[in-house]
Protein backbone atom coordinates (compact mmCIF):
# COMPACT_ATOMS: atom_id res chain seq x y z
CA UNK A 1 0.00 0.00 0.00
CA UNK A 2 1.37 3.42 -0.98
CA UNK A 3 1.64 6.43 1.31
CA UNK A 4 -1.28 8.10 -0.49
CA UNK A 5 -3.42 4.99 -0.06
CA UNK A 6 -2.59 4.86 3.67
CA UNK A 7 -3.46 8.54 4.00
CA UNK A 8 -6.79 8.01 2.22
CA UNK A 9 -7.64 4.96 4.35
CA UNK A 10 -6.79 6.80 7.57
CA UNK A 11 -8.95 9.76 6.54
CA UNK A 12 -11.86 7.44 5.72
CA UNK A 13 -11.69 5.73 9.11
CA UNK A 14 -11.09 8.88 11.17
CA UNK A 15 -14.51 10.58 11.48
CA UNK A 16 -16.88 9.56 14.26
CA UNK A 17 -20.59 9.26 13.46
CA UNK A 18 -23.77 9.65 15.46
CA UNK A 19 -25.80 6.55 16.29
CA UNK A 20 -28.52 7.79 13.93
CA UNK A 21 -26.11 8.04 10.99
CA UNK A 22 -24.69 4.58 11.77
CA UNK A 23 -28.22 3.10 11.75
CA UNK A 24 -29.09 4.90 8.52
CA UNK A 25 -25.86 3.69 6.91
CA UNK A 26 -26.64 0.10 7.91
CA UNK A 27 -30.17 0.39 6.50
CA UNK A 28 -28.79 1.80 3.24
CA UNK A 29 -26.53 -1.19 2.78
CA UNK A 30 -29.38 -3.59 3.59
CA UNK A 31 -31.44 -1.99 0.82
CA UNK A 32 -28.58 -2.16 -1.66
CA UNK A 33 -27.92 1.59 -1.63
CA UNK A 34 -24.49 3.19 -1.53
CA UNK A 35 -24.47 6.00 1.03
CA UNK A 36 -21.80 8.68 1.13
CA UNK A 37 -18.64 7.50 2.89
CA UNK A 38 -17.82 8.42 6.47
CA UNK A 39 -15.29 11.06 5.43
CA UNK A 40 -17.71 12.50 2.86
CA UNK A 41 -20.45 12.69 5.50
CA UNK A 42 -18.02 14.48 7.82
CA UNK A 43 -17.18 16.94 5.05
CA UNK A 44 -20.88 17.65 4.48
CA UNK A 45 -21.40 18.25 8.20
CA UNK A 46 -18.45 20.64 8.34
CA UNK A 47 -19.46 22.50 5.17
CA UNK A 48 -22.94 23.16 6.51
CA UNK A 49 -21.47 24.49 9.76
CA UNK A 50 -18.73 26.46 8.01
CA UNK A 51 -21.15 28.21 5.66
CA UNK A 52 -23.74 28.65 8.44
CA UNK A 53 -26.26 27.25 6.00
CA UNK A 54 -29.88 27.87 6.89
CA UNK A 55 -31.51 26.43 3.77
CA UNK A 56 -30.15 23.21 2.28
CA UNK A 57 -31.37 21.29 -0.77
CA UNK A 58 -30.48 17.67 -1.44
CA UNK A 59 -31.04 15.69 -4.63
CA UNK A 60 -31.01 11.99 -3.76
CA UNK A 61 -32.38 11.41 -0.25
CA UNK A 62 -31.57 7.73 -0.06
CA UNK A 63 -32.63 6.73 3.44
CA UNK A 64 -31.20 9.83 5.12
CA UNK A 65 -27.46 9.32 5.67
CA UNK A 66 -26.40 12.51 3.89
CA UNK A 67 -29.42 14.41 5.22
CA UNK A 68 -28.44 13.61 8.80
CA UNK A 69 -24.86 14.59 8.03
CA UNK A 70 -25.94 17.92 6.55
CA UNK A 71 -28.04 18.77 9.63
CA UNK A 72 -25.59 17.44 12.22
CA UNK A 73 -24.05 20.78 13.23
CA UNK A 74 -26.80 23.02 11.86
CA UNK A 75 -29.65 22.91 14.42
CA UNK A 76 -31.57 25.74 12.78
CA UNK A 77 -31.18 24.67 9.14
CA UNK A 78 -34.04 23.38 7.02
CA UNK A 79 -33.60 20.57 4.50
CA UNK A 80 -35.46 20.16 1.21
CA UNK A 81 -34.67 16.64 -0.02
CA UNK A 82 -35.79 15.19 -3.36
CA UNK A 83 -36.03 11.44 -3.97
CA UNK A 84 -37.52 9.60 -6.94
CA UNK A 85 -37.95 6.24 -5.16
CA UNK A 86 -41.00 6.25 -2.84
CA UNK A 87 -39.72 3.31 -0.75
CA UNK A 88 -36.48 5.12 0.01
CA UNK A 89 -38.34 8.28 0.96
CA UNK A 90 -40.60 6.34 3.35
CA UNK A 91 -37.55 4.85 5.04
CA UNK A 92 -35.91 8.28 5.23
CA UNK A 93 -38.96 9.77 6.97
CA UNK A 94 -38.67 7.12 9.66
CA UNK A 95 -34.90 7.50 9.99
CA UNK A 96 -35.07 11.29 10.34
CA UNK A 97 -37.98 11.13 12.78
CA UNK A 98 -36.18 8.54 14.91
CA UNK A 99 -33.13 10.81 14.93
CA UNK A 100 -35.27 13.57 16.42
CA UNK A 101 -35.26 15.94 13.43
CA UNK A 102 -38.48 18.00 13.69
CA UNK A 103 -40.80 17.79 10.70
CA UNK A 104 -40.80 21.61 10.60
CA UNK A 105 -37.17 21.47 9.43
CA UNK A 106 -37.86 18.96 6.65
CA UNK A 107 -39.42 19.09 3.23
CA UNK A 108 -39.20 15.62 1.71
CA UNK A 109 -40.32 15.64 -1.91
CA UNK A 110 -41.05 12.54 -3.97
CA UNK A 111 -40.33 13.06 -7.65
CA UNK A 112 -37.82 13.52 -10.44
CA UNK A 113 -35.41 16.31 -9.49
CA UNK A 114 -35.39 17.54 -13.10
CA UNK A 115 -39.04 18.46 -12.63
CA UNK A 116 -38.94 19.49 -8.95
CA UNK A 117 -35.89 21.78 -8.95
CA UNK A 118 -37.27 24.26 -11.52
CA UNK A 119 -40.15 24.91 -9.10
CA UNK A 120 -37.85 25.90 -6.23
CA UNK A 121 -37.09 29.54 -5.50
CA UNK A 122 -34.09 31.04 -7.29
CA UNK A 123 -31.12 31.89 -5.07
CA UNK A 124 -32.91 30.50 -2.02
CA UNK A 125 -30.41 27.87 -0.85
CA UNK A 126 -27.07 28.14 0.91
CA UNK A 127 -25.95 24.63 -0.02
CA UNK A 128 -27.15 22.15 -2.65
CA UNK A 129 -26.08 18.50 -2.60
CA UNK A 130 -26.28 16.50 -5.84
CA UNK A 131 -26.17 12.78 -5.10
CA UNK A 132 -28.45 11.11 -7.64
CA UNK A 133 -28.29 9.54 -11.12
CA UNK A 134 -24.89 10.63 -12.51
CA UNK A 135 -26.31 10.43 -16.02
CA UNK A 136 -28.45 13.46 -15.14
CA UNK A 137 -25.65 15.31 -13.37
CA UNK A 138 -25.27 18.18 -15.84
CA UNK A 139 -29.00 18.88 -15.85
CA UNK A 140 -29.13 18.77 -12.05
CA UNK A 141 -26.15 21.11 -11.90
CA UNK A 142 -27.81 23.67 -14.17
CA UNK A 143 -30.85 23.76 -11.89
CA UNK A 144 -28.68 23.84 -8.76
CA UNK A 145 -26.77 26.84 -10.06
CA UNK A 146 -30.08 28.70 -10.26
CA UNK A 147 -31.34 27.89 -6.76
CA UNK A 148 -28.08 28.38 -4.82
CA UNK A 149 -27.38 31.91 -3.61
CA UNK A 150 -24.23 33.83 -4.58
CA UNK A 151 -21.58 32.70 -2.11
CA UNK A 152 -23.38 29.41 -1.57
CA UNK A 153 -22.03 26.05 -2.64
CA UNK A 154 -22.98 23.00 -4.68
CA UNK A 155 -21.51 19.69 -3.54
CA UNK A 156 -21.19 16.61 -5.76
CA UNK A 157 -20.03 13.43 -3.99
CA UNK A 158 -18.94 10.43 -6.04
CA UNK A 159 -17.46 12.64 -8.75
CA UNK A 160 -14.80 10.00 -9.54
CA UNK A 161 -17.54 7.49 -10.53
CA UNK A 162 -15.90 4.59 -8.66
CA UNK A 163 -12.46 5.56 -9.92
CA UNK A 164 -13.43 5.56 -13.59
CA UNK A 165 -13.15 9.31 -14.18
CA UNK A 166 -9.33 9.39 -13.91
CA UNK A 167 -9.17 6.47 -16.37
CA UNK A 168 -9.31 7.91 -19.92
CA UNK A 169 -10.42 4.52 -21.26
CA UNK A 170 -13.64 4.61 -19.22
CA UNK A 171 -16.37 6.02 -21.47
CA UNK A 172 -19.56 4.97 -19.67
CA UNK A 173 -22.36 7.50 -19.14
CA UNK A 174 -21.52 8.26 -15.51
CA UNK A 175 -17.79 8.77 -16.13
CA UNK A 176 -18.43 11.00 -19.15
CA UNK A 177 -21.00 13.12 -17.28
CA UNK A 178 -18.63 13.63 -14.34
CA UNK A 179 -15.74 14.53 -16.66
CA UNK A 180 -17.96 16.98 -18.55
CA UNK A 181 -18.97 18.72 -15.33
CA UNK A 182 -15.37 18.91 -14.11
CA UNK A 183 -14.29 20.45 -17.43
CA UNK A 184 -17.21 22.90 -17.42
CA UNK A 185 -16.63 24.29 -13.94
CA UNK A 186 -12.84 24.43 -14.32
CA UNK A 187 -13.25 27.12 -16.97
CA UNK A 188 -16.22 29.03 -15.55
CA UNK A 189 -15.56 32.55 -14.23
CA UNK A 190 -18.76 32.28 -12.14
CA UNK A 191 -17.62 29.31 -10.04
CA UNK A 192 -14.77 28.54 -7.64
CA UNK A 193 -14.24 24.75 -7.81
CA UNK A 194 -12.52 22.52 -5.28
CA UNK A 195 -11.88 18.81 -5.95
CA UNK A 196 -11.16 16.52 -3.02
CA UNK A 197 -10.21 12.81 -3.04
CA UNK A 198 -12.50 12.25 -0.05
CA UNK A 199 -14.53 9.07 -0.46
CA UNK A 200 -15.10 8.54 -4.18
CA UNK A 201 -14.21 12.17 -4.82
CA UNK A 202 -16.10 15.27 -3.71
CA UNK A 203 -16.49 18.31 -5.95
CA UNK A 204 -17.39 21.51 -4.10
CA UNK A 205 -18.43 24.51 -6.19
CA UNK A 206 -18.88 28.01 -4.80
CA UNK A 207 -21.15 30.29 -6.80
CA UNK A 208 -19.33 33.59 -7.05
CA UNK A 209 -21.04 36.98 -6.81
CA UNK A 210 -21.97 38.66 -10.06
Amino acid sequence: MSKLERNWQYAEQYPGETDAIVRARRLSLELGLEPVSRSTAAQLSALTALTRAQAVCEVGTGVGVSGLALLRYAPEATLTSIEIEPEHLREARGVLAEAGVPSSRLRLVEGDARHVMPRLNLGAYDLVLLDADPGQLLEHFEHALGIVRPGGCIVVPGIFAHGRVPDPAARDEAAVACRDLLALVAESPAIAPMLSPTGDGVLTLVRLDG
Side-chain angles (χ1 to χ4, degrees):
M1 183 182 293
S2 70
K3 184 186 296 185
L4 286 177
E5 288 170 328
R6 288 196 298 273
N7 290 348
W8 180 88
Q9 187 177 72
Y10 185 86
E12 284 299 314
Q13 295 171 348
Y14 170 74
E17 295 197 305
T18 64
D19 290 343
I21 294 177
V22 170
R23 288 194 297 270
R25 187 178 296 285
R26 187 179 303 122
L27 177 59
S28 294
L29 297 175
E30 289 172 359
L31 293 174
L33 301 176
E34 184 179 2
V36 295
S37 74
R38 285 174 59 177
S39 61
T40 300
Q43 187 163 317
L44 294 177
S45 299
L47 269 175
T48 311
L50 181 66
T51 60
R52 299 186 179 182
Q54 294 297 297
V56 178
C57 180
E58 172 186 42
V59 177
T61 311
V63 298
V65 173
S66 52
L68 288 170
L70 288 164
L71 297 176
R72 183 174 182 180
Y73 302 124
E76 304 301 322
T78 59
L79 174 66
T80 297
S81 190
I82 306 165
E83 173 59 56
I84 199 168
E85 294 292 342
E87 178 189 356
H88 299 165
L89 203 61
R90 283 195 299 271
E91 295 287 359
R93 289 184 192 280
V95 164
L96 291 162
E98 186 179 351
V101 180
S103 58
S104 59
R105 295 178 59 202
L106 297 172
R107 181 185 177 195
L108 302 182
V109 183
E110 180 185 329
D112 188 327
R114 294 173 297 176
H115 304 146
V116 176
M117 294 177 80
R119 302 202 301 267
L120 301 178
N121 291 335
L122 296 177
Y125 293 90
D126 303 302
L127 187 152
V128 180
L129 175 68
L130 303 180
D131 188 21
D133 181 357
Q136 300 171 3
L137 181 57
L138 288 173
E139 193 169 354
H140 289 159
F141 168 71
E142 289 177 9
H143 294 311
L145 199 56
I147 65 173
V148 72
R149 65 167 174 80
C153 61
I154 300 168
V155 185
V156 186
I159 194 65
F160 290 159
H162 297 285
R164 297 192 304 279
V165 165
D167 178 5
R171 302 298 302 171
D172 58 278
E173 183 182 35
V176 169
C178 290
R179 279 196 207 103
D180 286 347
L181 178 60
L182 286 164
L184 176 67
V185 299
E187 300 175 357
S188 173
I191 297 167
M194 178 179 69
L195 181 60
S196 163
T198 298
D200 186 34
V202 177
L203 178 64
T204 303
L205 309 167
V206 180
R207 179 187 167 192
L208 302 176
D209 292 330

